[in-house]
Amino acid sequence: MFVHHFVENPQVVRQAWMYTMDISIDQNDFPNSDAQPNKRRRKKSMVWEHFTIETVDADCIRACCNQCKKSFAYISGSKLAGTSHLKRHIALGICPVSRHNQGKDQPSPYIPAPRTNISANGNFPRKRHRAANGVGSIYISEDNYSHELAKMIIQHEYPLHMVEHSGFIDFARTLQPQFNITSVTPVQEQVMGIYFREKHKLLDLLSGMSGRLNLTVDLWTSNQSIAYVLLTGHFIDNDWKLQRRILNFITVQFPDSDTAFSHAIADCLTDWGAEDKLFTVTSDRSYAKEKNRDNLRNLLSIKNSLILNGQLLINSCYARILRSLAQDAIGSMRETIEKVRQSVKYVKTSDAHEERFTKLKQQLQVPSTKHLMIDNLTNWSSTYQMLMAASELKEVFSCLDTSDPDYKLSPQMEEWEQVETLCAYLKIFYEAANILTSPVYPTTNLFFHEAWKIHLELMHGANSQDFFVSCLTKPLMEKFTKYWDDCNLVLAVAVVMDPRFKMRLVEFSFSRIYGEDVETWINIVDEGLHELYLEYLVQSLPAPTFIEGENDTLVKTEPQEEGLLSNTDGFSDFDIYISDIMSAQHMKSELDQYLEEPLLPRVQDFDVLGWWKMNRSKYPTLSKLASDVLSIPLSTISAESVFDMREKKIDSYRSSLRPSILQALVCSKDWLQHESSEVPLGISTEISAAAVKTEF
């Protein structure tokens, strides 16, 4: 018995032995004891079915795995290592031989029992309980982990064939020895199951909405020259929350054709049963040719003939126009910006240079709290941030130029002033684009505030007496004017639906932009707004019932309970009828009543949709218009791509997938972000088993 070699502290050995070996002993077990051995002995711990005790010397005893022959610490001097690490070696499948021999005639892996607390007197408990079946008696089914695996692949855009990689299989089986997914097919089935489950939920959401659907159309490409149309829906749900969902990701064989986008939109509307709910379409002129935009306008007129004759087609993407303005501004100062970039690199790529730069900053007492950073050439906001930080530290760079003979890249003071001017305009673009990076997509009224400020600043810059400012802003002004002319009606109508501003902000901003022509532009907005309201009013009226006579068409009226004999002259009802008509003619419309009421105080974080939800009974028709207008999307790209200067591309692996699988992966990733509650496992394969089978 190994305790014979360890007699320095027999009481510790006794307690450790009882706890780790589950043996009931007393002092009679030790040599030199005169007492008789305890007749009652219990079975030793199951861990020793897999390990053998090895005595190294009098103060060192180790445990050797019977299968992989690896040696582990057990007792060293006065320290007892215990058996927890031995249990993990077997129970978690760490032993390579045990894992390889699983299922063969080998001893069952040790299953640790729940640990009990040490008693109050410090002794180990004499009784221990083992779980009879599995760790904590928890059974994890194949459907369970395969479903979670598919969700992980969708959410993080991992390749489907990762399940065939040996490293992943070994890792998964370490966590779950019963892991048995070694091919792509079951993962594809789970992906399609998740797709159909989430699509069913979104169909319920769309079918239950009372408002209209706004669409954005975006074009993606791949290295294989395959084009894809991404269609995203924006709408207000029944709880007056703005929803944004990817609806379809369609492979397009001939993206340059005149009907590519219109066909994709028609297929999308049919797929979601929303043919009569289309309100606006937003695309971008950078990829949509003029003929293609005309076809989209015609489609909008057909699907939405009552709303301004299909005029609500937006041809420019808000994020792309800001990206283009930033690119042009940065490109106009390419040589100066490169000097700044190389200066920043000189400091940031050497610890000695950065330490010298920091000391100079402290000596000069420069108050800037910004840190230097090297920009990412594919992200224009990082270039802006690099220039901002460097310009605030220009004095330090100038001093470094005189104190460090190796630094020869410092821009001149005139160039630093130009960088500061550039940053002032980049800041405007950056703040305007930043509203798209919020987790919640902004309502349309917020875009007006940023757009009219950009228009005004560029207009002032273009008319500046400063030659540099004028040359910088004139090309930007020309480009932004095209965007403003395309979108200002939609932007203005949307901001009117904000009870803090209404027509007052339109009048104020237009007066500063258009000068003497302001009345013309204000009338365009006012007439468009009233025309739009009238269309909604007509749609909300009950359809009249007609009866045809021989010569005339008369309106059928409800039968009167009393005849003419009940009236003295037969004209009293006529007088009431005329009175009702005159009252209706003098009654103000909901729109006019809304516009004439005082503005609400401007408060931060104002919930414009929440306000309309509370006042929908007061403005039943106007609230429907507000719901649809405030959900009009101005940008076609996702929040993570707002500052990206590259167009979205599908990698070679994904472009090799079947269109149905690719659409399921792209759409499901978006839909799972909005998953509110966990659906019981099994539903993913039960919702549309037939539909899944048709995909394979």
Side-chain angles (χ1 to χ4, degrees):
M1 192 67 68
F2 75 93
V3 294
H4 294 168
H5 302 285
F6 187 64
V7 295
E8 292 182 12
N9 193 342
Q11 180 64 20
V12 172
V13 173
R14 175 179 179 274
Q15 291 179 339
W17 182 259
M18 291 169 60
Y19 179 65
T20 61
M21 301 289 285
D22 287 338
I23 300 176
S24 298
I25 61 175
D26 54 23
Q27 296 294 339
N28 297 333
D29 292 291
F30 294 97
N32 304 327
S33 174
D34 296 333
Q36 296 296 324
N38 189 348
K39 295 182 180 180
R40 179 177 175 270
R41 298 180 63 87
R42 297 170 59 192
K43 184 179 179 181
K44 67 178 182 178
S45 174
M46 288 181 62
V47 74
W48 299 112
E49 295 180 8
H50 302 273
F51 289 88
T52 301
I53 293 296
E54 289 184 343
T55 303
V56 179
D57 52 42
D59 291 334
C60 180
I61 298 176
R62 298 183 67 82
C64 178
C65 177
N66 295 336
Q67 299 186 65
C68 69
K69 305 304 180 185
K70 185 175 180 180
S71 179
F72 297 85
Y74 186 54
I75 295 178
S76 178
S78 60
K79 295 182 179 179
L80 179 66
T83 60
S84 297
H85 60 305
L86 308 182
K87 299 170 186 175
R88 288 194 295 270
H89 181 71
I90 297 299
L92 298 182
I94 299 175
C95 176
V97 178
S98 175
R99 186 169 67 248
H100 176 73
N101 293 332
Q102 187 180 2
K104 301 180 181 180
D105 295 333
Q106 297 291 334
S108 300
Y110 176 79
I111 301 172
R115 166 156 281 191
T116 55
N117 295 327
I118 299 176
S119 60
N121 61 10
N123 294 326
F124 293 98
R126 297 179 63 89
K127 294 183 180 181
R128 304 179 67 213
H129 303 279
R130 297 185 183 90
N133 189 14
V135 179
S137 298
I138 297 176
Y139 173 71
I140 303 178
S141 69
E142 182 175 336
D143 279 345
N144 207 328
Y145 62 70
S146 63
H147 175 82
E148 292 302 319
L149 173 61
K151 283 181 63 176
M152 178 189 74
I153 288 174
I154 291 171
Q155 291 171 328
H156 301 286
E157 298 185 7
Y158 296 140
L160 293 170
H161 60 261
M162 69 175 288
V163 299
E164 298 175 344
H165 296 171
S166 59
F168 173 76
I169 294 173
D170 289 343
F171 171 74
R173 285 182 175 169
T174 299
L175 301 178
Q176 171 54 266
Q178 284 76 37
F179 181 82
N180 194 34
I181 297 179
T182 57
S183 68
V184 172
T185 301
V187 180
Q188 288 180 331
E189 292 175 350
Q190 285 287 346
V191 167
M192 295 306 300
I194 292 172
Y195 169 74
F196 285 117
R197 181 198 70 186
E198 295 299 323
K199 184 175 183 179
H200 180 75
K201 291 162 61 176
L202 183 53
L203 275 168
D204 289 343
L205 185 62
L206 285 171
S207 61
M209 72 175 187
S210 57
R212 292 180 175 269
L213 177 67
N214 301 287
L215 286 179
T216 62
V217 184
D218 199 17
L219 183 69
W220 292 15
T221 58
S222 71
N223 294 330
Q224 286 72 27
S225 301
I226 302 174
Y228 306 88
V229 174
L230 181 74
L231 294 158
T232 306
H234 299 247
F235 58 95
I236 304 295
D237 64 17
N238 287 337
D239 195 33
W240 283 81
K241 301 296 182 183
L242 178 57
Q243 301 291 345
R244 178 183 183 273
R245 297 288 194 281
I246 292 177
L247 299 181
N248 291 89
F249 191 70
I250 301 174
T251 304
V252 181
Q253 294 183 345
F254 305 104
D256 295 330
S257 67
D258 297 337
T259 58
F261 294 145
S262 56
H263 285 171
I265 292 175
D267 291 344
C268 173
L269 296 175
T270 302
D271 187 24
W272 293 94
E275 294 92 337
D276 58 342
K277 293 185 177 182
L278 183 61
F279 186 53
T280 64
V281 175
T282 304
S283 61
D284 191 76
R285 64 178 73 248
S286 63
Y287 55 75
K289 297 180 180 179
E290 186 63 35
K291 184 64 175 177
N292 221 315
R293 296 199 298 271
D294 290 340
N295 287 331
L296 287 179
R297 188 175 289 105
N298 293 335
L299 174 69
L300 190 59
S301 299
I302 295 171
K303 299 295 183 181
N304 190 5
S305 58
L306 295 178
I307 306 300
L308 293 179
N309 296 319
Q311 294 179 31
L312 295 181
L313 175 67
I314 302 171
N315 293 314
S316 299
C317 170
Y318 177 83
R320 280 189 172 89
I321 188 63
L322 295 177
R323 175 205 298 172
S324 181
L325 294 174
Q327 280 182 301
D328 290 351
I330 292 171
S332 67
M333 293 182 57
R334 188 176 295 105
E335 294 181 0
T336 302
I337 292 174
E338 187 59 29
K339 283 185 181 181
V340 176
R341 182 178 293 116
Q342 294 303 324
S343 297
V344 174
K345 285 184 179 180
Y346 181 83
V347 174
K348 296 298 292 182
T349 55
S350 169
D351 291 339
H353 295 166
E354 188 166 15
E355 183 178 352
R356 186 181 298 113
F357 188 87
T358 302
K359 287 182 179 179
L360 285 174
K361 177 185 175 182
Q362 294 172 349
Q363 292 172 2
L364 295 171
Q365 297 182 347
V366 177
S368 174
T369 59
K370 289 186 172 15
H371 299 283
L372 291 178
M373 55 169 285
I374 303 173
D375 65 330
N376 177 359
L377 296 180
T378 65
N379 187 300
W380 67 265
S381 67
S382 70
T383 302
Y384 158 66
Q385 291 164 352
M386 177 191 72
L387 295 175
M388 278 289 293
S391 64
E392 290 190 9
L393 297 168
K394 59 180 181 293
E395 296 177 3
V396 186
F397 279 108
S398 298
C399 186
L400 184 66
D401 186 31
T402 58
S403 62
D404 187 346
D406 294 331
Y407 175 63
K408 304 175 182 179
L409 303 168
S410 178
Q412 301 299 315
M413 288 307 298
E414 181 182 1
E415 292 176 313
W416 280 119
E417 291 175 0
Q418 293 176 352
V419 168
E420 290 177 344
T421 301
L422 173 65
C423 286
Y425 287 100
L426 290 179
K427 180 182 180 181
I428 298 173
F429 306 151
Y430 176 80
E431 291 177 347
N434 214 34
I435 66 172
L436 288 171
T437 61
S438 170
V440 180
Y441 195 86
T443 49
T444 316
N445 58 304
L446 298 179
F447 292 96
F448 182 86
H449 306 298
E450 304 298 335
W452 87 266
K453 286 189 294 185
I454 293 175
H455 194 287
L456 187 64
E457 292 295 338
L458 291 179
M459 185 177 67
H460 288 165
N463 296 324
S464 173
Q465 298 300 316
D466 187 308
F467 179 75
F468 173 77
V469 173
S470 177
C471 290
L472 174 66
T473 55
K474 272 186 178 179
L476 306 181
M477 177 63 186
E478 293 175 1
K479 179 171 288 189
F480 189 77
T481 299
K482 294 179 181 179
Y483 174 81
W484 177 259
D485 291 344
D486 185 45
C487 301
N488 70 77
L489 177 59
V490 171
L491 292 170
V493 170
V495 83
V496 171
M497 293 297 103
D498 188 332
R500 298 172 298 170
F501 301 105
K502 303 181 182 179
M503 282 294 293
R504 296 292 180 264
L505 183 59
V506 175
E507 295 165 357
F508 172 77
S509 58
F510 278 22
S511 65
R512 302 185 68 182
I513 292 174
Y514 295 112
E516 296 179 355
D517 298 329
V518 62
E519 289 299 327
T520 301
W521 290 96
I522 290 177
N523 288 336
I524 291 175
V525 175
D526 186 69
E527 291 172 3
L529 179 62
H530 278 82
E531 181 182 350
L532 191 58
Y533 171 75
L534 183 60
E535 298 288 359
Y536 272 80
L537 183 62
V538 170
Q539 293 178 55
S540 65
L541 294 176
T545 304
F546 296 93
I547 57 174
E548 293 186 1
E550 294 182 359
N551 299 317
D552 302 300
T553 300
L554 302 175
V555 178
K556 181 191 294 184
T557 58
E558 294 296 328
Q560 300 294 323
E561 294 183 0
E562 299 180 0
L564 291 176
L565 295 179
S566 63
N567 299 322
T568 56
D569 56 4
F571 285 98
S572 58
D573 288 341
F574 176 75
D575 292 337
I576 295 174
Y577 172 68
I578 293 298
S579 176
D580 290 342
I581 292 178
M582 298 301 293
S583 299
Q585 288 178 348
H586 290 87
M587 185 183 300
K588 292 180 181 178
S589 68
E590 292 178 23
L591 176 59
D592 292 331
Q593 181 183 348
Y594 165 77
L595 293 176
E596 292 179 6
E597 288 182 348
L599 301 180
L600 292 185
R602 292 196 308 277
V603 294
Q604 197 171 8
D605 299 326
F606 176 71
D607 183 5
V608 64
L609 293 178
W611 187 89
W612 280 105
K613 178 183 179 181
M614 292 176 57
N615 289 272
R616 65 184 184 275
S617 58
K618 182 178 181 180
Y619 304 111
T621 301
L622 189 60
S623 63
K624 293 179 180 179
L625 185 153
S627 169
D628 294 338
V629 168
L630 292 172
S631 62
I632 296 176
L634 272 296
S635 179
T636 64
I637 62 180
S638 59
E640 60 269 17
S641 302
V642 168
F643 299 107
D644 201 337
M645 291 194 286
R646 300 167 297 180
E647 291 299 335
K648 194 71 175 180
K649 279 198 171 186
I650 295 293
D651 59 44
S652 301
Y653 167 72
R654 286 206 156 195
S655 62
S656 68
L657 298 174
R658 290 194 302 277
S660 58
I661 290 293
L662 181 56
Q663 176 170 253
L665 290 170
V666 173
C667 294
S668 297
K669 179 184 178 182
D670 178 69
W671 299 342
L672 287 174
Q673 296 175 10
H674 307 278
E675 192 174 31
S676 58
S677 59
E678 198 65 35
V679 177
L681 294 175
I683 289 183
S684 61
T685 55
E686 292 173 3
I687 280 183
S688 187
V692 174
K693 290 179 181 179
T694 60
E695 302 294 341
F696 298 97

